[in-house]
Amino acid sequence: MVIGLVGPSLSGKDFLVKTILELAQDKHIAVVNTGKLLKQTLDFWGIHGTGRNYSKLVEIMCTAYGEHTFSKVIFREVTNVLHTHHAVIINAIRLIPDLLMLQSFPSIVVAITADYEVCFQRTKDRRDKVGEGSQTFEQFLEERQTYTERDITTISRYAVVPPLTNNGTREEFREQIVQLYAYKIGQI
């Protein structure tokens, strides 16, 4: 089974992955982290790892080499590990071609939502990407309109359960993940 996570930046996808891996200690689950794939490329070229640069890289690749270009990389990564694992989690699917690729496997989509104000505050706390801690709210909202953010709402409609909402505490979000795991993922 392949589990595709969809949600805006800082909605809680990384925490969801961490929690599922903790719950599934008896299972062999691989993670394909699309952000890490992009970060490796940007690092190789000495380009700052900003959210805008991640999105621009995907846009350039898909515009120059076809809209399925990045999805093919994800497909290859999933195919390389699926035969030796009970499941693969893709963190994250962001484009319609990613969804189409996901549907070529036995799969589910899990959507995560969080209010923009909550996500913005997380940028101040996390500072994972260059410039995150110094953004204004207006700049943050502008990044929500980039190439890799535009299909998230559409893809979320394919989720197997209602979106997990991550506006509260980690414990509240964790409880939703535990329920998701019991309902949909634990039997893999």
Side-chain angles (χ1 to χ4, degrees), residues 169-180:
T169 66
R170 277 186 176 243
E171 293 75 27
E172 292 167 336
F173 187 47
R174 188 177 196 290
E175 183 53 38
Q176 292 179 65
I177 299 167
V178 168
Q179 290 174 10
L180 168 72

Side-chain angles (χ1 to χ4, degrees), residues 1-123:
M1 174 191 288
V2 180
I3 303 160
L5 305 183
V6 61
S9 295
L10 297 152
S11 58
K13 296 180 297 295
D14 290 338
F15 184 75
L16 189 146
V17 169
K18 179 182 170 203
T19 304
I20 288 176
L21 293 176
E22 288 171 2
L23 294 169
Q25 290 182 9
D26 62 327
K27 299 181 180 2
H28 203 60
I29 298 178
V31 178
V32 173
N33 187 318
T34 59
K36 284 186 181 177
L37 296 171
L38 294 170
K39 183 177 182 339
Q40 289 170 344
T41 303
L42 291 173
D43 286 349
F44 180 81
W45 292 100
I47 300 169
H48 291 295
T50 66
R52 182 169 300 285
N53 285 346
Y54 281 41
S55 182
K56 195 68 172 167
L57 177 60
V58 173
E59 182 178 8
I60 290 167
M61 290 175 11
C62 291
T63 301
Y65 302 109
E67 68 177 0
H68 295 274
T69 299
F70 193 67
S71 302
K72 289 177 184 176
V73 172
I74 300 169
F75 180 86
R76 185 189 70 223
E77 294 295 313
V78 169
T79 302
N80 285 344
V81 296
L82 187 57
H83 66 283
T84 59
H85 292 76
H86 292 105
V88 177
I89 300 171
I90 303 172
N91 182 10
I93 57 173
R94 295 191 166 277
L95 305 173
I96 297 300
D98 299 349
L99 175 65
L100 298 174
M101 173 276 308
L102 179 70
Q103 291 172 334
S104 70
F105 298 101
S107 60
I108 62 172
V109 173
V110 175
I112 304 111
T113 63
D115 292 339
Y116 284 150
E117 293 81 4
V118 173
C119 293
F120 176 68
Q121 185 56 49
R122 290 179 185 148
T123 66

Side-chain angles (χ1 to χ4, degrees), residues 9 38 42 47-60 126 129-132 135-149:
S9 295
L38 294 170
L42 291 173
I47 300 169
H48 291 295
T50 66
R52 182 169 300 285
N53 285 346
Y54 281 41
S55 182
K56 195 68 172 167
L57 177 60
V58 173
E59 182 178 8
I60 290 167
R126 180 176 86 164
K129 296 177 184 147
V130 174
E132 272 187 343
Q135 279 185 324
T136 67
F137 187 63
E138 291 72 27
Q139 290 168 323
F140 175 82
L141 289 177
E142 192 176 301
E143 274 196 10
R144 306 290 74 72
Q145 305 306 314
T146 59
Y147 187 83
T148 55
E149 299 285 315

Side-chain angles (χ1 to χ4, degrees), residues 6 8 94 96 116 149-158:
V6 61
R94 295 191 166 277
I96 297 300
Y116 284 150
E149 299 285 315
R150 68 178 189 191
D151 293 339
I152 289 174
T153 301
T154 301
I155 295 169
S156 294
R157 293 185 190 125
Y158 290 85

